[in-house]
Amino acid sequence: MANPQLEVSLLKPEEAEEFMRIRHEVFRPTINKILYSRGEPSQKTLDRVTEEIRDGIVNKGILYLKCVDKSTGEMIAGARWRYAKPKEDRARERTWEEVEAGFTVPEPYDESEPELFRHLFHLLNTNKRELLETRPYYTLITCAVLPQHERRGAGSMLVKWGCDRADEAGVEAYLEASLMGVPMYERHGFRPVKRIELDMKKFGAEENAPFVVMIRPAKEQPADPSTAA
């Protein structure tokens, strides 16, 4: 059951910096060590991330969400969903050209190890290509809850929002989870399909970074009476 004190809605472009701050704080001990492996990101880099979020909202149709505590007005969590769908409205699958166009790799940040940065995106893109092929899907790219607001249901509400949209569209939902995140995603119907590892040892780390690829099956859509014989 959703927490009545919390509210999920689409992020506004002017809220991009606040979203960035939450994401950066939550992921400092985990994914940030991959993205910014050479050190803490500068203000220049944080400004770039903020602008990327704003551009994603305004120009790229990326679905950024915020979760707000209604009693304080504070943004306590955020998520990033994307709907990979065919350009043609009536098409049931994407073309391979559309698939490949979605696998762009951004330029590394000043604090990135370029080879590691590109290796991460190559690993993630390779698995999407292999497991989803040309099928449309919703993908959860980011889900971040401030530590002091964990266990209030914010993360679950952000996940459910995208799952509901996937069900409405009759498509699968896809994500790469940390090992700790798997149980929560399973409660929303995601199933582990593959474990992958980012080769961090190659870049001097003591251990590799594991992820669990999870897919939530498409909800069967009701038959269209207009197509009945």
Side-chain angles (χ1 to χ4, degrees):
M1 183 179 294
N3 185 336
Q5 295 180 322
L6 306 180
E7 183 176 57
V8 168
S9 61
L10 289 170
L11 190 75
K12 298 175 182 178
E14 59 267 27
E15 297 170 321
E17 183 175 1
E18 192 172 358
F19 183 100
M20 179 277 293
R21 297 288 178 193
I22 291 173
R23 182 218 160 279
H24 181 71
E25 179 177 341
V26 172
F27 292 143
R28 180 179 280 114
T30 54
I31 194 70
N32 281 11
K33 291 185 177 180
I34 300 172
L35 297 177
Y36 316 118
S37 55
R38 290 179 170 174
E40 189 72 10
S42 65
Q43 187 60 50
K44 174 187 172 184
T45 293
L46 297 179
D47 289 345
R48 173 185 157 186
V49 174
T50 298
E51 185 53 39
E52 288 169 347
I53 294 169
R54 189 177 293 116
D55 182 59
I57 296 170
V58 175
N59 298 314
K60 297 181 179 177
I62 297 175
L63 303 166
Y64 283 94
L65 302 176
K66 61 183 177 183
C67 182
V68 172
D69 185 328
K70 293 190 289 185
S71 66
T72 64
E74 178 189 6
M75 190 189 302
I76 65 168
R80 177 186 176 194
W81 283 90
R82 184 173 69 88
Y83 184 15
K85 63 179 180 177
K87 289 184 179 180
E88 293 292 332
D89 290 339
R90 296 189 179 185
R92 300 186 63 179
E93 296 202 356
R94 299 171 295 153
T95 65
W96 276 109
E97 183 179 0
E98 291 170 350
V99 171
E100 295 302 327
F103 291 151
T104 57
V105 177
E107 281 297 311
Y109 301 101
D110 292 344
E111 298 80 14
S112 304
E113 165 52 59
E115 187 178 352
L116 174 59
F117 187 90
R118 295 188 182 101
H119 180 41
L120 170 66
F121 282 91
H122 176 73
L123 176 66
L124 301 183
N125 289 343
T126 295
N127 281 278
K128 285 190 180 78
R129 185 184 292 109
E130 173 190 317
L131 295 169
L132 295 164
E133 297 181 324
T134 58
R135 301 192 303 279
Y137 62 94
Y138 270 83
T139 179
L140 178 61
I141 303 168
T142 301
C143 185
V145 181
L146 288 172
Q148 63 270 34
H149 292 285
E150 290 178 348
R151 302 189 182 281
R152 297 183 62 194
S156 184
M157 291 171 69
L158 292 165
V159 174
K160 183 178 183 299
W161 186 96
C163 290
D164 288 347
R165 300 305 182 281
D167 286 347
E168 291 169 4
V171 301
E172 297 159 285
Y174 179 98
L175 57 83
E176 299 98 6
S178 66
L179 300 184
M180 289 181 60
V182 168
M184 191 267 280
Y185 294 123
E186 286 182 324
R187 290 195 292 272
H188 287 275
F190 285 89
R191 302 172 183 172
V193 295
K194 187 176 182 180
R195 176 168 168 155
I196 58 178
E197 287 197 354
L198 183 67
D199 187 358
M200 298 287 289
K201 293 180 179 178
K202 178 180 177 181
F203 300 93
E206 293 183 1
E207 54 186 27
N208 292 335
F211 298 93
V212 178
V213 177
M214 306 185 75
I215 294 179
R216 184 177 184 270
K219 183 177 181 180
E220 187 173 341
Q221 299 296 291
D224 184 350
S226 66
T227 61

